[in-house]
Amino acid sequence: MSAAPAHRPSRFEQPALLESPRLYEIATGLRPLLADTARAGAPTSWVLIRKRLPGLPRLHRDDECVLLWLVDEDRQDGEPLLAALVTVGNRQMHPRFPAVAEQLGLSCQANTAQQQTTWSYEVLKAHQHWRHRRQ
């Protein structure tokens, strides 16, 4: 009798949600990575983040959203959102950015054009803010 093949999730299957302590641990490592990304004047994506944080598990979309929120939850007053630097596709706004921004007290409005404007401005502010900051 042969052993049953191991279940290999498809790329469309969502992984299980992570526990809060693990999310906080990941966010602690993610914040400096995003600050470095801002210093470089670049955006990033979850694919690139996984390459720079090799131990990062495949994340549920809800966990991605929580991590983006956690990264900026303790930012200083007036500090731009590092979460804005995480993009999708061809450097497009992450679809969860408006929800994350709203949770962090930044009004994004309801229409797509205003959300895009808010996001673009946060990206610019993050690049400017972190450009000359030391690690």
Side-chain angles (χ1 to χ4, degrees), residues 64-77:
E64 289 178 359
C65 187
V66 170
L67 284 170
L68 293 177
W69 178 78
L70 287 173
V71 161
D72 285 314
E73 136 183 83
D74 291 332
R75 74 190 192 289
Q76 301 296 315
D77 284 341

Side-chain angles (χ1 to χ4, degrees), residues 5-132:
H7 174 69
R8 190 166 186 194
S10 78
R11 64 184 188 141
F12 300 107
E13 188 177 326
Q14 287 290 306
L17 292 168
L18 298 176
E19 298 289 328
S20 293
R22 182 69 174 126
L23 289 169
Y24 278 99
E25 177 186 330
I26 293 169
T28 299
L30 183 56
R31 183 170 173 78
L33 184 146
L34 290 178
D36 289 344
T37 300
R39 276 185 208 89
T44 193
S45 66
W46 286 109
V47 171
L48 294 173
I49 290 168
R50 275 187 207 87
K51 287 180 182 178
R52 292 182 63 194
L53 295 175
L56 184 66
R58 202 167 146 256
L59 299 168
H60 189 281
R61 287 186 182 128
D62 290 344
D63 283 343
E64 289 178 359
C65 187
V66 170
L67 284 170
L68 293 177
W69 178 78
L70 287 173
V71 161
D72 285 314
E73 136 183 83
D74 291 332
R75 74 190 192 289
Q76 301 296 315
D77 284 341
E79 195 173 288
L81 301 180
L82 287 169
L85 300 175
V86 180
T87 62
V88 294
N90 188 15
R91 297 182 174 196
Q92 299 297 309
M93 177 180 73
H94 192 284
R96 299 281 182 105
F97 174 77
V100 170
E102 291 282 344
Q103 288 176 340
L104 292 166
L106 179 67
S107 177
C108 273
Q109 306 301 320
N111 89 38
T112 306
Q114 291 170 325
Q115 291 172 352
Q116 287 285 338
T117 299
T118 300
W119 170 72
S120 296
Y121 187 54
E122 282 301 302
V123 169
L124 177 65
K125 287 186 339 185
H127 291 159
Q128 294 295 320
H129 178 83
W130 288 96
R131 181 187 312 174
H132 301 292

